[in-house]
Amino acid sequence: MEIIQQLVNGISLGSIYALIALGYTMVYGIVKLINFAHGDVFMVGAFIGFYSITFLHMNFFLALIISMVVCAIFGVLIERIAYKPLRNATRIAALITAIGVSLFIEYGMIYIRGAQPAAYPDNLVPFKSLEVFGVEISGQSLLILATSIFLMILLQFIVKKTKIGKAMRAVSHDMDAARLMGINVNNTISATFAIGSALAGAAGVIFGMYYTKIEPLMGIIPGLKAFVAAVLGGIGIIPGAMAGGLVLGVIESLVSALGFSLWRDGVAFVVLILILIFRPAGLFGKNVREKV
């Protein structure tokens, strides 16, 4: 029973990593950029959700939607201001810019509101726990799982069935050919940043509900772990990001359950080193051709 409980905890945590990792992998699939500011968009989403709940007295779902909308706009602004002028620049220039944007967001947030942490209220879930097959699952875990699964299914629908999703897949496959076919590449890239940032914003609200404590530098470690999850699944591959996040969350929970909780942050980077050595294309990298 203890193992099942840890698996549930791991899947809940992994679904948060998966939502953040989807933004990394979508942007990389389109413009081949590792957006290291993505973890800080996640942090901004957590604070937007917090202020929506505490000051505007919204419920969890309304706060989630507000956070996703604001983070989507924020992601587009980051792309248009910081990344679009460097579209044809070297990879290292774009990478350094991403790190600079990340630091700007972190310390901009500290300047605006201070460095002190904030705490999400603990009454967001209408039911405390539910017993399934003899295992008591917290209401938070169930809400996180349901929300994350819904958002992942919605993303798959957008990518596979909508016009913008088809445009994203076309630009990912061949940007120049997509432009010749009449696809607005700039708008498609902006839409990709918007969708990825919206998912990061949702992950921020879910993270705040799950861990309670949020602070301006909270995006660093989850952002890096989500990047590991994206690489684990196969960077640029949407199902890979989902699977990588879930696998990483389960591994962390099992490591904690075995009594090595101090190593739970380090194990993600051990996984990264191993995957780069033995399977650099990721778990899905060899068999899945479609990049976005």
Side-chain angles (χ1 to χ4, degrees), residues 120-197:
Y120 265 65
D122 57 1
N123 58 348
L124 297 178
V125 184
F127 52 95
K128 293 298 181 184
S129 63
L130 185 67
E131 190 170 311
V132 180
F133 301 115
V135 179
E136 189 171 309
I137 303 173
S138 69
Q140 281 187 340
S141 296
L142 289 172
L143 187 58
I144 288 169
L145 285 174
T147 305
S148 301
I149 290 169
F150 172 77
L151 290 173
M152 290 179 196
I153 292 172
L154 180 62
L155 175 64
Q156 282 293 87
F157 174 80
I158 291 171
V159 170
K160 299 292 185 183
K161 302 295 184 182
T162 65
K163 186 176 180 180
I164 189 64
K166 292 175 182 178
M168 287 163 58
R169 285 185 284 149
V171 173
S172 173
H173 186 70
D174 191 322
M175 188 179 293
D176 293 328
R179 189 178 284 112
L180 290 172
M181 295 300 291
I183 293 173
N184 190 321
V185 171
N186 287 331
N187 286 351
T188 303
I189 292 172
S190 294
T192 304
F193 270 85
I195 294 169
S197 299

Side-chain angles (χ1 to χ4, degrees), residues 12 26-27 47 100 141 150 159 178 183 195 207 218 252 270 272:
S12 299
M26 288 171 66
V27 169
F47 274 102
S141 296
F150 172 77
V159 170
I183 293 173
I195 294 169
F207 184 94
M218 64 177 277
E252 279 195 23
V270 172
L272 176 63

Side-chain angles (χ1 to χ4, degrees), residues 31-34 82-98:
V31 292
K32 301 297 183 286
L33 167 71
I34 301 298
Y83 298 144
K84 186 180 178 182
L86 298 172
R87 190 81 45 83
N88 298 317
T90 60
R91 295 281 181 86
I92 191 69
L95 181 64
I96 292 170
T97 300

Side-chain angles (χ1 to χ4, degrees), residues 40-286:
D40 299 297
V41 176
F42 155 82
M43 175 270 293
V44 169
F47 274 102
I48 291 168
F50 169 75
Y51 289 121
S52 297
I53 291 167
T54 55
F55 285 91
L56 301 179
H57 305 291
M58 295 182 178
N59 60 31
F60 169 77
F61 295 105
L62 278 176
L64 187 77
I65 293 169
I66 292 294
S67 180
M68 291 177 71
V69 171
V70 174
C71 284
I73 296 169
F74 190 44
V76 172
L77 289 175
I78 291 172
E79 189 274 327
R80 288 294 172 99
I81 295 170
Y83 298 144
K84 186 180 178 182
L86 298 172
R87 190 81 45 83
N88 298 317
T90 60
R91 295 281 181 86
I92 191 69
L95 181 64
I96 292 170
T97 300
I99 295 171
V101 171
S102 173
L103 293 171
F104 178 79
I105 295 171
E106 289 167 9
Y107 290 96
M109 180 64 80
I110 290 174
Y111 177 78
I112 291 169
R113 66 165 303 277
Q116 69 275 13
Y120 265 65
D122 57 1
N123 58 348
L124 297 178
V125 184
F127 52 95
K128 293 298 181 184
S129 63
L130 185 67
E131 190 170 311
V132 180
F133 301 115
V135 179
E136 189 171 309
I137 303 173
S138 69
Q140 281 187 340
S141 296
L142 289 172
L143 187 58
I144 288 169
L145 285 174
T147 305
S148 301
I149 290 169
F150 172 77
L151 290 173
M152 290 179 196
I153 292 172
L154 180 62
L155 175 64
Q156 282 293 87
F157 174 80
I158 291 171
V159 170
K160 299 292 185 183
K161 302 295 184 182
T162 65
K163 186 176 180 180
I164 189 64
K166 292 175 182 178
M168 287 163 58
R169 285 185 284 149
V171 173
S172 173
H173 186 70
D174 191 322
M175 188 179 293
D176 293 328
R179 189 178 284 112
L180 290 172
M181 295 300 291
I183 293 173
N184 190 321
V185 171
N186 287 331
N187 286 351
T188 303
I189 292 172
S190 294
T192 304
F193 270 85
I195 294 169
S197 299
L199 292 174
V205 178
I206 292 170
F207 184 94
M209 183 187 70
Y210 191 64
Y211 283 103
T212 305
K213 178 186 171 184
I214 59 171
E215 45 94 15
L217 300 181
M218 64 177 277
I220 297 173
I221 295 299
L224 288 174
K225 287 182 181 179
F227 172 67
V228 172
V231 174
L232 175 62
I235 190 75
I237 300 166
I238 286 176
M242 296 177 186
L246 294 174
V247 169
L248 189 61
V250 169
I251 290 173
E252 279 195 23
S253 290
L254 292 178
V255 166
S256 297
L258 293 172
F260 299 101
S261 58
L262 293 177
W263 288 89
R264 62 176 297 166
D265 289 335
V267 73
F269 303 101
V270 172
V271 169
L272 176 63
I273 292 168
L274 292 175
I275 203 73
L276 290 175
I277 292 172
F278 295 108
R279 196 176 175 87
L283 298 176
F284 286 57
K286 187 176 181 181

